Amino acid sequence: MSTDTPTAPTPVTSGPAAPRWTTHRELQAWIEEVVVLTTPDAVHVCEGSEAERAALTDALVGSRTLTRLTAKPDSFLAWSDPTDVARVEDRTFICSVEEKDAGPTNNWMAPDEMKAVLTDLFRGCMTGRTLYVVPFVMGSLDAEHPMFGVELTDSAYVVASMGIMTRSGTEVLDALERTQARYVPCLHSVGMPLADGVEDVPWPSNPTKYIVQFPEERAVWSFGSGYGGNALLGKKCYALRIASAMARDEGWLAEHMLILKLTSPQQETHYIAAAFPSACGKTNLAMLEPTLPGWTVQTLGDDIAWLRFGDDGRLWASNPEAGLFGVAPGTGWDTNPNAMRTIAQGHSLFTNVALTDDGDVWWEGMTDEPPAHLTDWHGESWTPDSDGPSSHPNSRFCTPIAQCPVLAPEYDDPRGVPISAILFGGRRRTTVPLVTEARDWAHGVFMGATLSSETTAASTGQTGVVRRDPMAMLPFIGYDAGDYMGHWLDMGKGADASRLPRVFYVNWFRRAGATGDGPFLWPGFGENGRVLKWVVDRLEGRAAARDTAVGRVPTYGGIDTTGLDIDEETMAAALRVDHDEWARELPRLQEWFDSLGTTLPSTLRQELEVLRSRLVG
Ligand code: GTP
Ligand code: SPV
Ligand code: MN
C-alpha cells in the first residue's frame, strides 16, 4: 500500500513509519508532529473522491456510527452519544496571548498553559484509530488568496461531514503544495483512544471537552466532541472565530449571516445578509419561498458570510461554506420546502433525527402527523404516545448547498455579491417589533450590539433565557466584544454612507399576551417575504415609515398583507413599539454595556442615551 502520493487513492497505511504525506513542507512537519503526539495506527490523506466517500460511509455503517437510509440515495443517519449533541460554549476558549484581547464574553487561558493541558489530553489519544488529513478551503479556490485549512481528525464522521460542508480534497492539497500557502491548522480528536482491550462505540467522545482557538497563531485544537460546531472545524472555529480576528486585522467582517438574493416583480434584485442567533431562522429565510406573487428568493448562504468592501465602495458578501448544516425539527414541506427538496436528492448526513420503518428520516414538524412508528434518536421504539420527541431539538441535516433548487448562480463567484441591506434578528416573545429600520449606520451597529434572543438547543445549557447576542456572534467573536463593535463602527466610518447596506432589525417570534405566552403574532416562514418587500420598498424609496423611539417601523398598512389572514389588531401588535416594555429593557441594556468594560465604543453609549431620551424624555 502506498501513501507517498496523496493524489493517488490513499488506502489507510498499516503504520505511520516515516511516509511522505505531502510535499507541503509545513504540513508534512505538522502531520509528523501530530502522529508522534497522538500515535494513530494509520494515516489517511483524504482526496475527497466519491470512491473514498463510499468506503468511509461503508466503514461507518460497519462500526454502527451510521445507518444507511434506504429511502434516499447515498444518505445516512447518525445517533450521537446523548451527552454530545450541541456546541459547548462553556468549554470554548479564545486563547489570545493577552487575556484582555479575549474580552469579557469569552473563556480564556494563556496559550502556553492551554497547550500544556491539550498536549496531555492529545498524547496517545488516536491509538487504535486512523488519523485523517482533510485539506480544505473556505470560500473559492479561485479567490485571490484562497483561505486554506487542514483538519487532522480521528473521526471518519467528521471527514464525511467536512466533505459536504467544505471544498476539500486533492484539488485543494494540490493548490496548497503548488503555492506552499499558509493554512489554518485544525487539530481534532474525539478523545477516545482504543488502547488494549478498549472496544469502540458507535459515537466515541470524551466527557472532557475543549474547543480552543489561538487567534494570533490562527490555529484550532478541539478535543472530546464529535458534534458539528465542535468538530467540523472549518465552520464556527475557523470561518467565524479565527476569521473574525483576521478580519479585524485586515479590515473586513466574518459574520454569522445568511446571504440571499431577492427579486421583485419589477425584476429589481437586491442581495440581503441577515444575522440571527443559532436556531433562529437563517436557513429558513435563506431558502424562503415568498407567498407574495412575483417575488423570488434565491440562496447564497445560510450560516456564515465574509464581507469586504469592493472598489465600488459597496460591501460584498460571500459564503465560505459548501454545505448546509441545518436544524431538522420544524423543517417541513409547509415551512421550508426548498430544504426538503435539497435533502430529497440524497448525499446527506442526518444526525439525531428519527428513523422510519421504511428506512427514511423523520423529525417533529416535517409533516403534520407523525408516522405511527419510529425508532427515536436514542435508538428506542417510538410512537406518537411516547413521552419525549422522536428527534433531538438540535438534530441536524448536512447536505450539499449545490443541491438547493433555488441556489443563486452567483454563489460560486469569488467576489461575492454587493449587499443592499443587513437584517439583525432574534427570538423575542415581547418588546421587539416585527421590523424596525435603523436611522443610520451607527444606530444599526447599536441594534446589532444590543441584539437579544432566547437561548436555543443549538448550545448546551438552559433554553428560552433572554441573553444579549451581539450581531448573533456572542459565541463566535474571536476577540474582545467591545473591540468587535468598534470594528463594525470603523467599517462604516471610512465608507460612503449612501453605499453602505441599510440596517434593519426583525423579530419573527413575538407572541400575543402581555407576557408573550400566547401564539405567534406573525405567521413567519414564507410570509416573511412580506417583510422583505417592505425592506426593498424602503431601499427603493417607495415606502413611508413611522419614526419611533427605537427606529423606523412600517406605517399603518405598510406591510403588504394581501391574501394573508391576519387581523388589524394582530398586525398592530406585531409592529407595536410599547414604551413600557422598552423602558424595562433600558436597565438590561445598561447592564450589558457595563459588562463589556472600557473597550465599549463611546458612540454606542451615546446611542443608548439617545434611546433613553426618546423613550422617557
Ligand atoms: P443555526 O443553523 O443554528 O445557525 O440556525 P438557523 O438560524 O439557520 O435556524 P433555522 O432556520 O434552522 O431555524 C431554527 C428553528 O426556527 C426551526 O425550528 C424553524 O422551524 C424555526 N423558524 C424559522 N423561521 C421561523 C419563522 O419565521 N417563524 C417561526 N415561528 N419559526 C421559525
Ligand atoms: C449554530 O449553532 O449556530 C450552527 C450549528 O449553525 S453548529 O455548526 O453546530 O455551530
Ligand atoms: Mn449557525
Side-chain angles (χ1 to χ4, degrees), residues 85-89 165 227-232 235-237 240-241 256 276-280 282-283 302-304 321 325-327 394 396 456-459 472 475-476:
V85 294
R87 284 183 294 99
V88 283
E89 293 179 10
M165 294 306 298
Y227 167 77
N230 302 329
L232 314 180
K235 196 169 174 53
K236 298 297 161 64
C237 301
L240 289 179
R241 298 196 189 100
H256 194 203
F276 309 154
S278 302
C280 290
K282 290 183 300 300
T283 304
D302 82 320
D303 198 50
I304 299 179
E321 302 193 276
F325 186 64
V327 177
N394 190 42
R396 300 258 166 183
T456 66
S459 170
F476 310 122

Side-chain angles (χ1 to χ4, degrees), residues 13 51 77 90 108 137 212 220 233 245 248 270 280 287 328 346 357 374 385 461 497 503 532 552 557 603 605:
T13 55
L77 168 58
D90 57 333
W108 178 86
V137 62
V212 183
V220 181
L233 302 186
R248 167 203 54 190
H270 286 284
C280 290
M287 304 176 97
D357 292 349
L374 294 166
D385 294 331
V503 180
L532 297 183
R552 295 172 181 150
T603 305
R605 282 203 186 277

Side-chain angles (χ1 to χ4, degrees), residues 45 104 123 327 439 460 476 542:
V45 179
R123 188 168 293 118
V327 177
R439 291 182 295 273
T460 54
F476 310 122
R542 287 194 292 252

